[in-house]
Amino acid sequence: MATEIPAATIRTRVTIPLTFGDGYSVTAEAVTFHGLVDGAEHLALLLGERSGNATPLVRMHSECLTGDVFGSARCDCGPQLREAAERIENAGGVLLYLRQEGRGIGLYNKLDAYALQDAGLDTYQANLALGLPEDGRDYTAAAQMLNALGIIELDLLSNNPDKARQLRDLGIKIAETVPTGVHATPNNLRYLSAKVEHTHHTIALAGALG
């Protein structure tokens, strides 16, 4: 049985032209909300046009200041965000930009975890060493946002099985899980390997660096 969640309502809709670092441009309708359970300022970006009764393509992207804004090569967040924008624009759907820095532990704690990773721990071990959860993200607010947008069934753009599991538990139907590309570099390969080993992300790393 799905968990019942409070209803959120749409607060603002505004059009924003977006341009990424490689020059790719797209126009998004940005949507904000009232009543999100965690009180955070999450954002929905509506992209593209769906044909007929096509299922919307949705990505829940957790904020990553270092990767999304500064282009850090320690993770694959920036390339995933760029990929998601284009794929959702082509298919028609929604990019949920969730304010969940560092898998929910916050920016300062994430940088503390980086220091522990430099000392030999992986990304999940570092969180635990700080007394924090491996992954502290809760997607109730995301489900509220989808409900407010009238989306109860979707194709989920994600490599993370926990995202699909949580959304299903919150009453959202996942028609298909669509993996993102593999954005492996020498700097993030250990990070991606930890995702595969600890939380069973569907990332095909064999031969990823050629």
Side-chain angles (χ1 to χ4, degrees):
M1 180 179 296
T3 302
E4 289 195 17
I5 57 176
T9 57
I10 290 174
R11 177 179 180 272
T12 306
R13 291 178 180 264
V14 62
T15 299
I16 302 178
L18 306 176
T19 301
F20 290 81
D22 62 356
Y24 174 71
S25 297
V26 64
T27 298
E29 182 180 21
V31 183
T32 63
F33 301 86
H34 286 299
L36 299 180
V37 292
D38 58 7
E41 294 185 332
H42 305 300
L43 185 68
L45 296 174
L46 280 57
L47 298 162
E49 297 290 337
R50 280 182 277 160
S51 58
N53 294 320
T55 307
L57 181 63
V58 173
R59 173 162 176 77
M60 300 191 299
H61 185 90
S62 295
E63 178 182 47
C64 176
L65 178 72
T66 51
D68 297 342
V69 177
F70 298 122
S72 168
R74 292 188 68 136
C75 62
D76 60 342
C77 302
Q80 281 192 324
L81 179 62
R82 162 65 181 84
E83 174 195 2
E86 184 168 4
R87 291 180 69 174
I88 296 171
E89 163 69 13
N90 290 338
V94 183
L95 193 157
L96 299 182
Y97 196 81
L98 305 175
R99 313 302 297 276
Q100 300 172 328
E101 184 79 44
R103 296 196 303 273
I105 67 172
L107 178 61
Y108 277 21
N109 283 329
K110 182 176 81 170
L111 296 177
D112 290 343
Y114 277 179
L116 293 177
Q117 290 168 45
D118 290 343
L121 300 184
D122 70 31
T123 179
Y124 297 99
Q125 294 167 340
N127 281 17
L128 294 176
L130 292 170
L132 300 167
E134 286 189 346
D135 190 334
R137 290 174 292 185
D138 179 290
Y139 298 110
T140 303
Q144 289 182 286
M145 295 161 77
L146 292 168
N147 286 333
L149 293 169
I151 297 173
I152 58 173
E153 181 175 0
L154 54 86
D155 292 334
L156 183 65
L157 182 61
S158 179
N159 301 322
N160 184 351
D162 185 53
K163 290 182 177 181
R165 180 190 63 77
Q166 285 201 41
L167 282 185
R168 288 190 180 103
D169 288 346
L170 292 162
I172 304 295
K173 183 177 179 181
I174 311 296
E176 182 180 359
T177 300
V178 183
T180 69
V182 179
H183 303 286
T185 69
N187 292 301
N188 71 19
L189 189 60
R190 186 164 173 258
Y191 164 80
L192 295 180
S193 297
K195 282 185 167 184
V196 173
E197 294 166 8
H198 282 261
T199 47
H200 309 294
H201 280 55
T202 52
I203 307 172
L205 289 178
L209 297 181

